[in-house]
Amino acid sequence: MSEIRTARFAAPDEAREKYDAIIPAYQAAFAAEPWYEVSKCGGCSSGYSRQNPGDICQACGSATGDEAYTEQELTEKFDAIGKTRPTCWYIEETPAGLALAAVAWTADLVQIAAEKYPGSPEMAEWLKQKYAPNTAPNSEILWLDEVFADRQISRRNNLANFRPMVYGFSNRLDQTKVAYRTIAPAMTRVAMRDFGDDATIDKAKSDVPDWRILYQLIYLGKK
């Protein structure tokens, strides 16, 4: 029997009413592969460790700190996003609970570089070179910031609606250039599956001066 799943877009204040489901799903998703962000770690370049809080990080030997993403931190982060820029959420639910959530917002290249790549002038320059030929100065793009699934609720086909989700964000935020970064192979495959030649991939370190494996860019035409 196919899974009954409902999907909807939500404004930040509407999404806030679902934080009790969104936040645990986020914590669980990023504690699992390929991120393994379980606890904070001052000795690792990523800032996170796969060991539990209070354990010794096997990667660097440092003592780990608090859990990687606390409820208070995520609440403050999501609230700040919604208050400081045009923002839209996407939520998929089943009778068992929240299956997937995503949040997207618009910003110019300076803001994206400052927030997503602080202290990295190389990435700021790369973003400028990447978008400058096709983007007017100070114009904005749609940044697909987070996409995460609760695998205890839904273990498969969580990106089945990726294309309508991206178009929905595009329509609601009035942007046709969509970008995101990822280290998840599934997030790369789905861009190629749903957008083909309209999506580009830049590989980490060889194409992008950053440790994330892939950087996606999608140019949207008419649906």
Side-chain angles (χ1 to χ4, degrees):
M1 180 180 295
S2 61
E3 179 184 62
I4 300 173
R5 186 181 290 232
T6 60
R8 65 185 177 95
F9 291 91
D13 59 339
E14 295 172 319
R16 202 179 201 284
E17 298 175 0
K18 303 293 294 185
Y19 279 6
D20 60 339
I22 288 173
I23 288 175
Y26 185 100
Q27 292 168 322
F30 287 95
E33 63 176 344
W35 301 275
Y36 298 110
E37 295 172 345
V38 178
S39 61
K40 294 181 174 65
C41 181
C44 288
S45 59
S46 67
Y48 301 102
S49 170
R50 66 174 62 196
Q51 270 65 59
N52 290 323
D55 288 347
I56 298 299
C57 177
Q58 295 181 6
C60 72
S62 300
T64 60
D66 294 335
E67 60 183 322
Y69 302 102
T70 67
E71 179 179 355
Q72 180 178 348
E73 287 170 338
L74 290 176
T75 297
E76 292 174 353
K77 171 185 174 178
F78 295 149
D79 283 351
I81 288 173
K83 292 176 181 177
T84 58
R85 69 210 67 185
T87 301
C88 185
W89 282 83
Y90 173 80
I91 297 169
E92 291 186 4
E93 295 177 288
T94 74
L98 183 141
L100 178 140
V103 61
W105 39 268
T106 65
D108 61 30
L109 302 184
V110 173
Q111 183 178 0
I112 291 173
E115 292 191 16
K116 309 310 290 188
Y117 303 97
S120 176
E122 296 85 2
M123 273 306 301
E125 182 62 24
W126 184 87
L127 284 168
K128 178 181 177 181
Q129 294 298 322
K130 180 74 176 182
Y131 291 99
N134 301 299
T135 306
N138 300 319
S139 64
E140 298 183 335
I141 64 173
L142 191 157
W143 183 262
L144 183 54
D145 197 10
E146 307 282 8
V147 181
F148 52 96
D150 187 335
R151 295 185 182 178
Q152 291 186 338
I153 299 296
S154 179
R155 297 193 61 83
R156 61 178 66 185
N157 298 325
N158 287 310
L159 295 174
N161 297 321
F162 185 77
R163 181 182 175 89
M165 179 190 76
V166 170
Y167 268 108
F169 280 141
S170 173
N171 292 335
R172 286 163 176 79
L173 295 173
D174 194 26
Q175 297 292 333
T176 58
K177 297 182 181 68
V178 180
Y180 63 92
R181 66 184 182 188
T182 185
I183 64 171
M187 285 291 288
T188 301
R189 292 193 297 266
V190 74
M192 296 296 98
R193 181 196 74 189
D194 289 351
F195 295 97
D197 292 340
D198 290 326
T200 63
I201 301 175
D202 295 290
K203 296 182 179 180
K205 298 183 179 179
S206 59
D207 299 324
V208 182
D210 185 64
W211 61 270
R212 281 85 177 177
I213 293 176
L214 298 161
Y215 188 98
Q216 309 283 159
L217 173 66
I218 302 170
Y219 290 96
L220 300 179
K222 293 183 179 179
K223 186 173 180 180

